[in-house]
Amino acid sequence: MPNRFQVAVLVSGSGSNLQAIIDASADPSYAAEVCVVIADRPGIRALQRAGDAGIPTAVVPWSLGREPATARVCATADRFGANALVLAGFSRILAPEAIARFPTRIVNVHPSLLPAFPATIHAVREAIEHGVKVTGVTVHFVTEDVDAGPIIAQEAVCVAPGDTVATLHARMQEVEHRLYPAVVHALGRGRLRTEGRTVVWREEA
Ligand code: GRF
């Protein structure tokens, strides 16, 4: 389906959020299409998912160094015609070049209600250890400060007595798999306008 908003999805792991976006894009009315999946390591489930869906893949090892690796990610995304970068369980911090090349066109999903528990890959465990009663999912624009960009969408998830990292994360991922494709669709429709720190959702035309 040509003319749809093209997204490069960046992954490091299982790729269940990637899968949710791929599944959403099967609907022709969905605004976005995954043009390439870029991983920081080979052999991960996310790359299998991309392959199964017939989506091109690339591996950019972070052993290159952050700046050279970021440059290669941007060049790969450009080569496949990406309009935006969608970070979906991507465990690396992009160098400033990426933010300059894709201004307000990089989004991330984080498993906490930011600004709580930022800049960690253990946000779910830290929330349980802190004893919070409510945590949740945040989708935000990526800026140079890690997990501190303007918030696009959030949804709360209650912590149940006896929750483990696995049980709580599983409920949070159900939310992610609904929320993240919805944000990517809105981005593709040009509905997200940033006013300072506030992201305003325009009405769908
Ligand atoms: C998600 O929980 C996301 O919030 C976090 O990493 C996890 C990635 O999961 N950034 P998956 O690879 O999409 O299954």
Side-chain angles (χ1 to χ4, degrees):
M1 283 161 264
N3 301 326
R4 289 204 286 182
F5 190 76
Q6 302 293 304
V7 298
V9 180
L10 276 55
V11 292
S12 300
S14 92
S16 67
N17 282 285
L18 164 68
Q19 189 69 57
I21 294 165
I22 292 172
D23 291 349
S25 69
D27 180 341
S29 68
Y30 189 74
E33 182 170 46
V34 181
C35 59
V36 62
V37 172
I38 304 172
D40 65 335
R41 65 198 74 184
I44 57 175
R45 176 93 177 92
L47 288 171
Q48 273 176 22
R49 293 179 192 272
D52 290 348
I55 296 167
T57 60
V59 175
V60 178
W62 236 246
S63 53
L64 291 169
R66 187 163 80 116
E67 275 79 15
T70 298
R72 196 176 290 190
V73 166
C74 292
T76 305
D78 278 343
R79 183 153 48 88
F80 285 93
N83 303 114
L85 306 184
V86 172
L87 278 51
F90 188 63
S91 61
R92 307 291 181 170
I93 298 168
L94 293 167
E97 177 187 348
I99 290 116
R101 283 177 67 166
F102 292 89
T104 67
R105 285 286 177 276
I106 311 178
V107 292
N108 182 44
V109 60
H110 186 75
S112 77
L113 290 178
L114 290 172
F117 309 112
T120 172
I121 59 166
H122 301 297
V124 181
R125 178 185 310 157
E126 288 180 25
I128 289 177
E129 286 174 356
H130 198 86
V132 301
K133 302 297 188 199
V134 178
T135 182
V137 172
T138 302
V139 181
H140 63 94
F141 282 115
V142 172
T143 57
E144 286 191 28
D145 297 323
V146 178
D147 291 336
I151 290 168
I152 303 167
Q154 286 185 306
E155 193 169 314
V157 175
C158 289
V159 182
D163 252 339
T164 63
V165 171
T167 60
L168 179 56
H169 195 207
R171 289 206 306 289
M172 292 170 73
Q173 286 223 293
E174 286 176 22
V175 173
E176 291 182 345
H177 298 162
R178 181 166 37 75
L179 202 61
Y180 210 15
V183 167
V184 172
H185 176 72
L187 186 68
R189 283 269 185 272
R191 291 183 56 203
L192 306 177
R193 192 179 70 243
T194 305
E195 294 174 2
R197 281 211 52 85
T198 303
V199 177
V200 179
W201 287 62
R202 284 197 286 241
E203 290 299 314
E204 187 142 18

